[in-house]
Amino acid sequence: MAPALVEVSLPEAINYAKSGTGAYKDAFAAGPKHFKADAELKGTDKHPPAKYPNYLPTWTDKKYPPLEPFEHYEHGRDAGASFSNLLKDATKVDDLTANIGAEVHGVQLSKLTDAGKDELALFVAQKKVVAFRDQDFADLPIRDALKIGGYFGRHHIHPTSGGPEGHPEVHLVHRSADDTTSRDFFEERTNSVTWHSDVTYEKQPPGTTFLYLLDGPAAGGDTLFANQALAYRRLSPEFQKRLHGLKVVHSAVEQADNSRNRGGIVRREPVTSIHPLVRTHPATGEKALFINPQFSRRIIGYKKEESDYLLNFLYDHLAKGQDFQARVKWAPGTVVVWDNRVTAHSALLDWEDGARRHLARITPQAEAPYETPFEG
Ligand SMILES: O=C(O)CCC(=O)C(=O)O
Ligand SMILES: [Fe+2]
């Protein structure tokens, strides 16, 4: 039997969040302190200038109000299951693994009709993550790329990341070639794996999410993905049953603190949200674990040790499940689309010094997570 659910006020939720087990660390982007605009724009004797100067990060002091609720329209629900619009020009569609991920050649995302976009939402929800190769996405004017992404939901403006000038809706991942923070990182840590789903502390976290390469090392800097729906299904029915009804606090507090401590920005005051531990996908009806060590903090109604015990088990289950994970290798022109509702991911900081890594993310928000009853 699940415990009776406790209603928790926001201040209580924040206390819960602070006492939780997660330790936030942001290893993806170096932040304003390490960013040398001049060297990126002009290059140095050691590295060439940025390939996409229009995508170099900027950080402004502009403050944003709290996010307002909005009604999400799930386009994946309108899609035909044959994917005849999405894949009509495909020259190659390969699964990355048996349980998660696909790679598509021949389709140009920027040319999709609305019917193609509806199918993209469903295809990605089913495959969890799809790498589209040889895209012109990065070469489009940024506002055009945003227009495509905006079909899938309201753009999320990240509270702490840099964005291209005038486009705070684009979240940038940028490390310059002479940035040694990843070397420094390994003085403290044995690996750079930081499983998370994006910004799950929001009331309406992202759904269909786009990340595209602008520049990267020849080897290394892959991104890992995990299928959280299969992670749920791998659990025994008894265990699944136990998880239903549980609610979890997700917190932005540590990410904001981390940004402030590093001399970065905080565009919006950090929030906490309470989400079901098991959520249902609105287009596929699949249930998925919705917890991650970056932002989930505490199971409501459980004592700290109980919450830590269960969350740590689930984080471990997620991290060890190589048989429901995929690893995406980036190449010029690659756009990776994932469904943030049913996946977790992690960047890897494993490439050698001397290469720039530069990516842009378009992050449409989706519905507030909801759960449907355990079905056995
Ligand atoms: O750099 C990457 O591979 C992924 C970074 C990340 O977690 C994100 O952009 O959401
Ligand atoms: Fe992420």
Side-chain angles (χ1 to χ4, degrees), residues 28 196-198 338 345 361:
F28 319 126
H196 66 282
S197 313
D198 290 332
W338 69 83
H345 60 271
R361 192 181 80 203

Side-chain angles (χ1 to χ4, degrees), residues 99-110:
N99 289 319
I100 171 172
E103 180 177 54
V104 175
H105 290 259
V107 170
Q108 202 52 256
L109 290 175
S110 63

Side-chain angles (χ1 to χ4, degrees), residues 6 26 31 37 48 70 115 134 144 156 158 210 223 239 293 308 344 371:
V6 185
D26 186 352
F70 73 102
D134 306 314
D144 292 359
H156 181 253
H158 198 277
F210 298 73
T223 305
F239 201 84
D308 288 354
E371 110 168 82

